[in-house]
Amino acid sequence: MSNKISKSLKSQRQEKELKELELQLKKRRSTLKGLRTRLRRMKDQILDIQTRSSSILFAKMEQIDQLRMELVNLARKLQKLATLNEIEKRELQTLCDELSSDSFMGPDYEFHKGQATDDEHDFESHEREKAEYSDQFLAFKVAPDPGEKKQIRKIFLRLSNKLHPDKAKNDREAKRFHELMQRINEAYENHDVETLLNLESRYLHEDWDINQEIEALTDVLSRRIEKVSKELALIKSQIGRTSTEIKNLRNSTVGKMLTEMQQADRNGNGLDADINHVEEVLENLRNLKEGLEHSIEIGAISPRMNRFKARYEKGDLDEEMLERLDKKLREEFGDHYDPMEVVSDFMDNFRHSNIDKENLDFPP
């Protein structure tokens, strides 16, 4: 009798210890969930900026490309007018040469343009691009130590032995096991302890009868305490790895860029503002087009051409802004990004071209 009472007191102490461990585990899981949400949000924000910037800015580059060829055609048409003097015709020829130059849009533009055309309806290419963007985050991940890897593999093997499609009793179960194994493999490859433990808890739960003999109950409680203690240690480790990954990403080039762009957005000087400035560049080129069209209409160089020059000299064609935007995007995208170079090259070629800006003052 005394032996049974002693065992009962032991089981009570074990139950108390187990509850405390389970409470700690619950709190740690909540902490991990918050950290993973934070990390996922950071990645999503970076990807959003990259894809949004790339698509919008490349679309504007396509507009510049189309517009420059329209300007070339108009300048050549204006050149043929007998009413223009030789100086005006030479200026127009220089303008045509600059705008139609193969290097005008930058060395990578035609490649990206061709690639965009080929991939327009190619689902696999879009998925490949998404994968490339996602792969940039691999460098910030923190691998578990050898001991933790061994524990993770044990969980993976237990799940695999239970849920492998070969273990299925019918086609329906095989399909479900296949989907579960995909989740298990992904979690294992990413050292995602939390997901593996959740799957283990759901599909490999340990059945035991609380009405067993007291001696058996203490053994069960001991095993349960050991199991929860291991889970708690693994979750703590994943918390540490996730916190380090967040820190690594935040301190990286793309992380700092995200912080700067978020701050710039709050100050009204973010990506949207820079894209608006690029639109102003396009607007100035449209004004040049309007001036050329009006010149053809009246048979002489239009005063509107001088208004274009005045806007240029005032700085409406903001090269400094474009260089700043180019720097931001290159720091953010690295080798993944090239189209913005085209904008910078365009402004550099135009501002530093052989066109005599001082003498672009066509007579009215």
Side-chain angles (χ1 to χ4, degrees):
M1 181 71 177
S2 60
N3 185 47
K4 287 193 175 183
I5 292 175
S6 174
K7 291 287 186 180
S8 178
L9 291 173
K10 180 180 179 181
S11 66
Q12 289 176 21
R13 288 195 299 270
Q14 288 176 313
E15 288 174 348
K16 181 179 179 181
E17 180 182 359
L18 180 59
K19 286 181 179 179
E20 291 175 352
L21 285 171
E22 288 176 335
L23 180 60
Q24 289 183 50
L25 182 60
K26 182 178 180 181
K27 291 180 178 179
R28 294 291 182 174
R29 282 179 179 272
S30 178
T31 299
L32 179 58
K33 181 179 179 181
L35 288 171
R36 295 183 69 178
T37 298
R38 181 181 172 188
L39 178 61
R40 184 171 58 252
R41 186 180 297 119
M42 284 180 66
K43 292 180 178 179
D44 288 344
Q45 288 171 336
I46 290 170
L47 288 172
D48 177 67
I49 290 173
Q50 289 176 328
T51 53
R52 186 164 58 95
S53 302
S54 180
S55 60
I56 292 175
L57 290 171
F58 188 77
K60 291 190 179 299
M61 288 314 306
E62 288 184 313
Q63 293 178 41
I64 290 176
D65 190 24
Q66 180 180 353
L67 185 55
R68 68 162 180 136
M69 297 314 299
E70 292 177 7
L71 293 173
V72 168
N73 292 332
L74 289 170
R76 285 173 177 167
K77 187 174 181 180
L78 181 58
Q79 246 184 322
K80 295 177 181 178
L81 295 181
T83 52
L84 267 61
N85 61 44
E86 289 303 314
I87 294 177
E88 293 168 340
K89 289 181 178 181
R90 282 199 301 270
E91 293 287 357
L92 288 169
Q93 183 58 50
T94 303
L95 181 63
C96 288
D97 292 342
E98 289 289 333
L99 291 172
S100 59
S101 170
D102 291 338
S103 62
F104 182 82
M105 294 298 292
D108 300 313
Y109 176 72
E110 290 301 325
F111 169 77
H112 285 282
K113 182 179 179 181
Q115 189 176 51
T117 301
D118 293 340
D119 296 346
E120 187 174 3
H121 304 293
D122 187 349
F123 174 78
E124 289 185 1
S125 68
H126 289 298
E127 290 301 303
R128 188 164 55 250
E129 182 179 2
K130 284 172 59 179
E132 288 175 357
Y133 277 135
S134 298
D135 286 347
Q136 69 185 308
F137 299 120
L138 294 178
F140 308 113
K141 293 186 71 67
V142 181
D145 61 43
E148 186 183 357
K149 281 185 178 180
K150 188 175 180 180
Q151 292 298 320
I152 294 172
R153 180 158 182 78
K154 285 182 179 179
I155 301 171
F156 167 74
L157 291 175
R158 287 199 295 268
L159 288 166
S160 299
N161 290 333
K162 174 78 173 183
L163 300 172
H164 195 279
D166 291 344
K167 305 282 186 178
K169 299 175 182 178
N170 52 58
D171 291 344
R172 182 177 180 181
E173 190 172 65
K175 181 179 179 181
R176 186 167 68 91
F177 280 12
H178 175 72
E179 293 171 352
L180 286 170
M181 280 305 302
Q182 286 183 318
R183 292 177 59 192
I184 292 167
N185 286 325
E186 182 180 0
Y188 178 63
E189 290 172 3
N190 292 319
H191 310 303
D192 184 358
V193 176
E194 183 187 27
T195 297
L196 290 173
L197 289 176
N198 287 338
L199 290 168
E200 183 184 47
S201 176
R202 181 172 180 180
Y203 295 103
L204 302 181
H205 59 276
E206 184 178 7
D207 295 321
W208 54 281
D209 185 0
I210 199 168
N211 295 316
Q212 299 174 75
E213 290 289 330
I214 292 177
E215 290 85 355
L217 178 59
T218 58
D219 291 339
V220 170
L221 288 170
S222 294
R223 291 199 301 273
R224 179 63 181 165
I225 288 171
E226 182 181 4
K227 185 175 187 300
V228 174
S229 296
K230 288 181 178 179
E231 290 182 4
L232 182 59
L234 288 170
I235 292 295
K236 285 181 178 179
S237 179
Q238 189 171 358
I239 287 173
R241 288 189 284 110
T242 306
S243 297
T244 302
E245 186 175 350
I246 290 172
K247 182 179 179 181
N248 290 344
L249 182 56
R250 186 175 60 242
N251 293 333
S252 69
T253 301
V254 290
K256 291 177 180 177
M257 179 58 58
L258 175 62
T259 301
E260 290 174 4
M261 295 190 78
Q262 287 174 334
Q263 182 63 45
D265 282 335
R266 287 191 289 269
N267 296 334
N269 300 315
L271 179 62
D272 290 338
D274 285 336
I275 289 175
N276 288 337
H277 282 302
V278 176
E279 181 57 44
E280 291 177 11
V281 173
L282 274 168
E283 183 61 27
N284 278 282
L285 293 179
R286 295 186 187 107
N287 290 334
L288 176 57
K289 179 183 177 182
E290 180 185 332
L292 289 169
E293 288 174 334
H294 187 244
S295 298
I296 293 170
E297 181 182 344
I298 64 175
I301 297 299
S302 169
R304 298 177 187 179
M305 299 289 289
N306 293 329
R307 286 204 295 272
F308 167 77
K309 181 193 174 188
R311 289 192 181 106
Y312 176 86
E313 290 177 340
K314 274 195 328 181
D316 285 356
L317 299 181
D318 192 345
E319 183 180 9
E320 181 181 354
M321 176 279 300
L322 289 171
E323 289 177 350
R324 185 176 68 253
L325 179 58
D326 179 57
K327 180 181 177 182
K328 281 185 182 180
L329 295 171
R330 285 202 171 281
E331 287 177 351
E332 179 183 340
F333 298 146
D335 293 335
H336 290 289
Y337 189 78
D338 287 314
M340 195 55 229
E341 181 178 342
V342 178
V343 180
S344 181
D345 285 347
F346 160 67
M347 291 309 304
D348 187 65
N349 287 337
F350 186 85
R351 189 178 286 271
H352 300 104
S353 68
N354 293 327
I355 298 176
D356 186 353
K357 307 299 188 306
E358 296 302 322
N359 296 317
L360 192 60
D361 195 2
F362 296 105

